[in-house]
Amino acid sequence: MDELPIGRRVAYWRGRRKMSQQVFADRLGKSKSWVDKVERGVRRLDKFSVIYEIADTLRVDVQLLLGKDPERRSDALNCIDQTEVQEIRAALERYDAMSAYFDAAPYPPPLPDMRKAVTHAWLTYQYGRYGMLTRSLPKLLRDAQAADAGFGGDDNREAAHLLGQVYQIASSVLRKLGEFDLAWLAADRAMAVAQRADDPLLAGIATTRVGNALVAMGRPFPALEVNVAIANRLAPGGGNDVTPDRLSVYGMLLLQGAMAASRIGDTATVDDLLGGADEAASLLGGDQNHYWTSFGPTNVELHRAAAAVELGDGGRAVEVHQRIGPEFNALLPERRAHHLLDIARGYAQVGDVVNAGEMLLQGDRLAPSEIRCRPIAHEVMSDILRRTRGTPPASIAELAEHMGVGI
């Protein structure tokens, strides 16, 4: 893409960010006609200040707009740069298993090493260290794909299971960082690999990643359908066992179905699915982390609040938040910071920008990347700054600066 004119590069990244010309123009404070002329090359971009503003709006490295290699970033809080995106994309585009069908399989890493690496990646994600995770993902994907292609027999099933988990990790972090197409691709791969791993529960939790990616891409109806369909297949009881693993996966399918329904505005379905998840959590008996779900009674309440926000009922979300007990503090940092971001949105919906800002600050102390790296958090911060009378508090101004959100 380096050989393209800068206007074409602007058009490309605007499309990747799912912005219309009008929305892009509004965020820049320009006219739609101005954007159209820039993208067609009729109007030159000869001011660096404007180019930097465009890059910030599109959330890309300015070097990409200039047709140069982006500068690599090394600090631990870095979210993801376009070099890392391309490396993850290249890793997802590998087809080691198909190559091994025709030729000798690549030398696979030892399975004990892979198990440790996958566990470390899950913990890195659940502690909200997204920059560290995205930098390690390309190698982890390549290693897991090589293991899946290189082992046979029972080892092949375990290797497939590990690869399915790596795809899920990749999907989750890519979705949070705004790379929705890649998130969907990784989740779809996770579902396919789970079938080869012969683990219905792994396929079930992979389904939630597919649903999340579909919702992020603006397709909540198929997300709702797939989550509910697989939940019905995996429901405890009948011919299925009633184990903590199954309860956790089943409960998360219902929760993600509820989130999809909230995007549609289907309050009755939201309540029904949350009720089913609440029953599963009661049977489980407490917050646990089977299949890396963090499922349990507290997580159900967190999703109840999140669904209220998606339905536009910020007041209800705040009420749910205020009744959550001390069990919340035992959850992993990503879950807590994610919830605090949801509640920041809830407070903003009811016009309480002071408490909205406080929620962002609390979330930032728990898992900075959850607040500083997610596009939705940037939107909340922009809203807070716009609606704050006078100069914002120093703590908010400092966080906004770290996030790259202009005051």
Side-chain angles (χ1 to χ4, degrees), residues 331-346:
L331 296 179
L332 289 160
E334 178 272 336
R335 276 281 75 221
R336 286 186 283 161
H338 185 147
H339 170 70
L340 292 169
L341 173 55
D342 286 332
I343 300 307
R345 296 171 62 200

Side-chain angles (χ1 to χ4, degrees), residues 169-192:
I169 296 166
S171 177
S172 296
V173 72
L174 287 166
R175 177 182 57 84
K176 280 182 178 286
L177 300 179
E179 297 293 335
F180 302 143
D181 292 340
L182 281 183
W184 180 85
L185 173 61
D188 186 68
R189 291 274 183 84
M191 288 187 72

Side-chain angles (χ1 to χ4, degrees), residues 157 160-161 163-165 167-168 187-207:
R157 281 193 291 274
H161 203 287
L163 177 57
Q165 293 183 59
Y167 281 142
Q168 291 194 46
D188 186 68
R189 291 274 183 84
M191 288 187 72
V193 172
Q195 295 176 54
R196 288 197 290 103
D198 194 25
D199 185 344
L201 297 184
L202 183 67
I205 204 64
T207 301

